[in-house]
């Protein structure tokens, strides 16, 4: 493997939805860490349809620092699409997506770079410790366990979008044409030489979580439906099992009537119970098929994942002693 430059150019992607309060702090902290690396860099904020002053605040900072860029959407398209737009615009040798709320600590960046220099194309951050509600931790654990049990790829538990991606991985990701994107699964699908570093994930510093429970639930469904058809197979087996049971039970009832004579069917409540139960299963089955169908429908429409309102970006400055490749 060819040796890697000691000072790769770094692109940071920050998806931001109503982050006017968090951005100035995030900028200070991330910049301080980037300066310490000695690498050329850029920070790209992807404004995901913010309704507050996020864009104005960021523009204010951009006026003072030419290494800051902005990609803005026409409306809120969600974090996954914001990341996708970021990937489409980054210029760095390596790319690191980071949340605006500083839940992805900038101090991990040097650790990422060290592993990248050692030859890894993807270095993902694994949360050693999460300062989040017990409910969020529980739902996250259940989600990852289920997803890994059902799909052929392995998605590391406790790893989020906070990771370093080599330019090659970014290009791989951009080659995947799907609209309903679940990046955590796509990173794993791409493969490439990967490793991880451990870090402590702090609580959100400023403001409330922007990812509502509903958004996270949709994302969880996207993850499972885009990487696994197991729920549909499960329904098939459930259907076969219940039919089998119904046939056996039918034989049993017939034997009661013909062999034991004089049997009076008194099973009205049981009947109702069974009808409700199997009716329920059919509804669930239809709903699940509907989920897959809705996703297929969205994909065939071929609508773009997002529409851009504006892009402001300067070339990454690669001149200067420290940034010379091969140092
Ligand atoms: N975010 C976004 N679009 C959305 C929701 C969130 O770009 O529709 C951004 C948000 O501004 C933040 C990151 O995604 O930078 C993570 O959001 P949040 O902290 O709310 O999520 P959590 O930490 O709960 O996963
Ligand atoms: Mg957060």
């Amino acid at each position: 493997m060819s040796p890697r430059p000691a000072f790769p150019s770094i692109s940071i992607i920050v998806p931001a939805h109503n982050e006017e309060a968090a951005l100035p702090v995030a900028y200070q902290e991330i910049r301080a860490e980037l300066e310490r690396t000695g690498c050329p860099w850029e920070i790209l904020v992807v404004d995901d349809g913010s309704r507050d002053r996020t864009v104005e605040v960021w523009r204010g900072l951009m006026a003072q620092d030419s290494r800051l860029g902005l990609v803005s959407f026409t409306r809120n398209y969600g974090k996954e699409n914001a990341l996708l737009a970021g990937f489409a615009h980054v210029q760095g040798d390596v790319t690191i997506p980071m949340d605006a709320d500083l839940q992805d600590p900038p101090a991990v960046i040097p650790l990422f770079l060290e592993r990248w220099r050692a030859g890894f194309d993807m270095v993902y951050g694994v949360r050693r410790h999460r300062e989040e509600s017990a409910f969020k931790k529980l739902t996250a654990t259940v989600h990852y366990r289920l997803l890994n049990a059902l799909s052929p790829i392995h998605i590391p538990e406790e790893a989020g979008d906070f990771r370093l991606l080599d330019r090659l991985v970014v290009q791989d990701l951009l080659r995947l044409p799907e609209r309903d994107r679940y990046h955590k699964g796509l990173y794993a699908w791409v493969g490439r030489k990967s490793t991880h570093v451990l870090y402590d994930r702090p609580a959100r510093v400023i403001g409330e979580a922007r990812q509502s429970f509903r958004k996270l639930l949709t994302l969880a469904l996207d993850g499972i439906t885009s990487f696994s058809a197991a729920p549909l197979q499960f329904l098939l087996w459930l259907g076969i099992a219940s039919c089998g049971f119904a046939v056996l039970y039918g034989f049993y009832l017939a034997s009661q009537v013909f062999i034991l004579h004089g049997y009076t069917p008194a099973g009205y409540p049981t009947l109702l119970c069974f009808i409700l139960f199997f009716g329920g299963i059919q509804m669930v089955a239809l709903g699940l098929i509907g989920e897959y169908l809705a996703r297929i429908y969205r994909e065939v429409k071929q609508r773009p994942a997002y529409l851009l309102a504006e892009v402001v970006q300067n070339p990454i400055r690669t001149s200067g002693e420290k940034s010379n490749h091969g140092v």
Side-chain angles (χ1 to χ4, degrees):
M1 189 186 307
S2 60
R4 290 198 153 147
F7 298 101
S9 51
I10 305 174
S11 293
I12 305 285
I13 302 174
V14 182
H17 179 60
N18 297 341
E19 301 282 9
E20 60 178 6
L23 276 185
V25 191
Y27 164 65
Q28 293 297 342
E29 302 262 326
I30 297 173
R31 187 192 64 181
E33 198 57 56
L34 288 173
E35 299 286 30
R36 276 197 278 278
T37 64
C39 302
W41 54 268
E42 66 175 345
I43 302 177
L44 213 54
V45 161
V46 183
D47 165 51
D48 186 12
S50 297
R51 297 228 181 89
D52 64 356
R53 301 188 62 254
T54 299
V55 175
E56 284 88 337
V57 167
W58 190 244
R59 266 191 226 284
L61 294 167
M62 283 165 70
Q64 296 156 26
D65 191 338
S66 63
R67 295 165 297 186
L68 308 187
L70 171 71
V71 174
S72 67
F73 283 174
T74 53
R75 64 168 170 85
N76 179 249
Y77 289 91
K79 184 184 172 189
E80 300 298 306
N81 292 321
L83 283 176
L84 178 62
F87 292 140
H89 287 88
V90 288
Q91 311 169 72
D93 295 325
V94 300
T95 293
I96 306 175
M98 293 177 81
D99 288 358
D101 56 8
L102 287 173
Q103 279 193 289
D104 304 328
V108 183
I109 295 175
L111 306 179
F112 280 163
L113 288 175
E114 189 195 306
R115 305 310 292 145
W116 180 79
R117 288 192 192 103
F120 290 98
D121 298 314
M122 174 142 49
V123 189
Y124 50 91
V126 170
R127 296 169 270 226
R128 193 186 294 142
H129 167 75
R130 274 188 184 215
E131 282 179 29
E132 277 168 333
S133 69
F135 178 68
K136 194 154 182 185
K137 279 188 212 168
L138 179 74
T139 46
T141 310
V142 170
H143 169 65
Y144 287 118
R145 293 274 156 86
L146 197 65
L147 189 51
N148 279 326
L150 297 183
S151 66
I153 49 165
H154 176 72
I155 296 168
E157 239 176 273
E158 295 303 314
D161 289 306
F162 183 41
R163 55 184 69 216
L164 176 145
L165 311 169
D166 185 90
R167 186 199 292 276
L168 285 177
V169 179
V170 172
Q171 282 163 4
D172 290 340
L173 289 172
L174 291 174
R175 210 167 289 148
L176 306 178
E178 60 215 77
R179 303 301 195 270
D180 270 333
R181 295 180 85 87
Y182 177 74
H183 278 108
K184 271 173 267 217
L186 297 181
Y187 302 132
W189 187 89
V190 160
R192 297 247 186 224
K193 220 171 151 211
S194 309
T195 186
H196 68 272
V197 295
L198 291 174
Y199 74 98
D200 292 321
R201 190 167 178 85
R204 182 178 250 275
V205 191
I206 296 160
E208 298 269 291
R210 303 295 188 262
Q211 295 270 58
S212 62
F213 183 68
R214 195 171 57 87
K215 275 187 188 169
L216 290 177
L217 198 67
T218 312
L219 191 63
L221 258 180
D222 276 343
I224 290 171
T225 48
S226 70
F227 286 96
S228 168
L232 294 179
Q233 279 156 5
F234 172 74
L235 288 173
L236 181 66
W237 288 114
L238 195 67
I240 292 172
S242 63
C243 286
F245 178 76
V247 170
L248 290 179
Y249 191 58
F251 275 123
Y252 167 74
L253 287 183
S255 70
Q256 296 269 304
V257 174
F258 292 118
I259 302 168
L260 301 173
H261 300 293
Y263 168 75
T264 34
Y268 170 65
T270 5
L271 204 63
L272 196 67
C273 173
F274 274 85
I275 289 174
L276 281 178
F277 179 70
F278 289 107
I281 287 184
Q282 280 164 16
M283 289 301 219
V284 171
L286 279 176
L288 251 177
I289 294 170
E291 280 293 326
Y292 282 90
L293 197 69
R295 280 169 175 72
I296 295 169
Y297 182 50
R298 279 204 289 277
E299 297 294 341
V300 295
K301 277 190 290 193
Q302 294 276 312
R303 279 190 193 149
Y306 53 80
L307 289 179
L308 292 175
E310 190 185 7
V311 179
V312 187
Q313 192 180 23
N314 295 311
I316 289 198
R317 201 193 44 195
T318 46
S319 57
E321 270 176 47
K322 281 181 167 171
S323 58
N324 255 339
H325 282 195
V327 172

